Amino acid sequence: MLYKNIHIGKYIKEMVENKNISLERICNFLGKDEDFVENVYESQSIDSDILLRWSKLLEFDFFRLYSSHLILYAPPSAVNKSEKKSETTPQFRKNIYTQEIKDFILSRIESGEMTQADVIKEYSIPKSTLHRWIQKKR
């Protein structure tokens, strides 16, 4: 699964088809009509409340797609040492890698699509972390 360009409607439709959930059940659960459901399938993004309901219906965390995108594609933070960190602003930590992220990166290396150096450069993953993942996979 590619996390760079997320078309959430496509992923939702795919999950509905995989789970064989009827349109009637979806409409009843969401409290919406068939046109709304079709519009969701075509939408690249949807409201977070609606996405939460889809996640519950399909028993899948669609928000994880966005978290994975942040882990892989968020630019490394350029923290100025002289600046004081805000205690009230939440800090995003890039060092939380899910198993899906690890599998995604390792599959790109194994397929020859990327080298280890490419992965380290593009995703800002520490060299030691990447080597640890490779060792555990063997």
Side-chain angles (χ1 to χ4, degrees), residues 25-122:
R25 179 172 173 216
I26 294 168
C27 292
N28 287 340
F29 186 86
L30 297 176
K32 304 287 184 181
D33 61 7
E34 293 178 10
D35 289 336
F36 176 84
V37 174
E38 290 301 323
N39 286 337
V40 167
Y41 293 160
E42 295 171 9
S43 299
Q44 187 164 350
S45 63
I46 61 175
D47 183 68
S48 59
D49 183 54
I50 298 296
L51 186 59
L52 180 62
R53 296 190 66 146
W54 278 105
S55 294
K56 290 176 181 179
L57 174 66
L58 298 172
E59 298 174 344
F60 181 81
D61 182 4
F62 288 104
F63 294 97
R64 186 176 298 175
L65 298 172
Y66 295 103
S67 298
S68 298
H69 174 88
L70 287 174
I71 291 169
L72 290 173
Y73 299 105
S77 61
V79 178
N80 188 343
K81 300 285 183 195
S82 63
E83 288 182 14
K84 228 181 187 182
K85 286 187 179 177
S86 172
E87 306 257 338
T88 58
T89 307
Q91 300 296 316
F92 175 69
R93 293 179 46 193
K94 284 191 62 140
N95 61 346
I96 302 173
Y97 301 102
T98 64
Q99 189 59 45
E100 292 166 331
I101 294 291
K102 293 176 189 177
D103 293 341
F104 171 75
I105 290 171
L106 292 174
S107 70
R108 293 191 82 180
I109 292 171
E110 289 172 358
S111 70
E113 191 175 336
M114 296 182 85
T115 65
Q116 291 180 26
D118 293 338
V119 168
I120 292 167
K121 183 178 178 185
E122 184 170 340

